[in-house]
Amino acid sequence: MSKTVFVLNGPNLNMLGKREPGIYGGKTLKDVEADCISAGRELGLDVDFRQSNHEGDLVSWLHEAGEHSVGVAINAGAYTHTSVALHDAIKAITVPVIEVHISNVHAREEFRHHSKIAPACKGVICGFGPTSYILALHALKSITD
Ligand SMILES: O=C(O)[C@@H]1C=C(O)[C@@H](O)[C@H](O)C1
């Protein structure tokens, strides 16, 4: 019996493949989605993969995940560094949430070194390129079995 996990993506991640490939790589978000679905299949996880440039969508999807998933991997993009609303949405649900980043945010600009959502998350995976998402799926599998 497969379990559902939400993989949520925030602003500008729709631009993957075109956006600063030296930092984010050449894969498109569709490529990352396909990789997540494939890895999820191997892990017995059904992946519900979504992206929005709008903070409120991500808040609503976190609420939905709290009712309809066993856990969440979220790359909140720039909202990582600014959003009390996403922090509070994560606190409002009981399923585990893992913060994900393609880049190592701690090796980049100072303003990326602080996450407003990490204190509400189960853990953080960053710096492994798109593989960060796959590692998060493995982590969700291990903590929800
Ligand atoms: O590495 C990433 O996936 C994150 C993606 C973004 O869009 C940035 O705003 C974050 O600072 C880093």
Side-chain angles (χ1 to χ4, degrees):
M1 165 81 166
S2 282
K3 300 180 288 186
T4 298
V5 295
F6 280 32
V7 179
L8 304 179
N9 295 273
N12 299 301
L13 287 157
N14 55 301
M15 295 293 287
L16 280 184
K18 292 177 280 193
R19 174 197 182 200
E20 299 183 273
I23 295 172
Y24 298 105
K27 284 193 172 189
T28 67
L29 192 64
K30 274 292 178 198
D31 295 331
V32 175
E33 178 178 15
D35 291 348
C36 286
I37 290 169
S38 175
R41 198 173 291 124
E42 289 174 24
L43 294 166
L45 300 173
D46 286 332
V47 172
D48 187 331
F49 193 97
R50 307 181 189 186
Q51 187 276 334
S52 177
N53 294 321
H54 305 286
E55 190 175 12
D57 288 343
L58 296 165
V59 168
S60 297
W61 291 342
L62 283 164
H63 297 165
E64 183 182 348
E67 298 300 320
H68 299 290
S69 82
V70 296
V72 181
I74 182 168
N75 184 345
Y79 291 144
T80 303
H81 313 295
T82 62
S83 180
V84 174
L86 287 177
H87 173 107
D88 292 349
I90 294 166
K91 283 284 195 180
I93 62 178
T94 57
V95 298
V97 179
I98 296 177
E99 179 183 332
V100 174
H101 299 294
I102 293 167
S103 66
N104 179 356
V105 291
H106 302 290
R108 299 181 62 192
E109 304 95 328
E110 175 69 29
F111 66 79
R112 300 187 200 274
H113 295 180
H114 177 70
S115 167
K116 284 227 186 299
I117 68 171
C121 289
K122 178 70 177 169
V124 181
I125 298 173
C126 70
F128 296 95
T131 304
S132 297
Y133 288 84
I134 308 307
L135 296 172
L137 291 175
H138 281 268
L140 284 171
K141 169 74 172 174
S142 70
I143 64 177
T144 60
D145 261 357

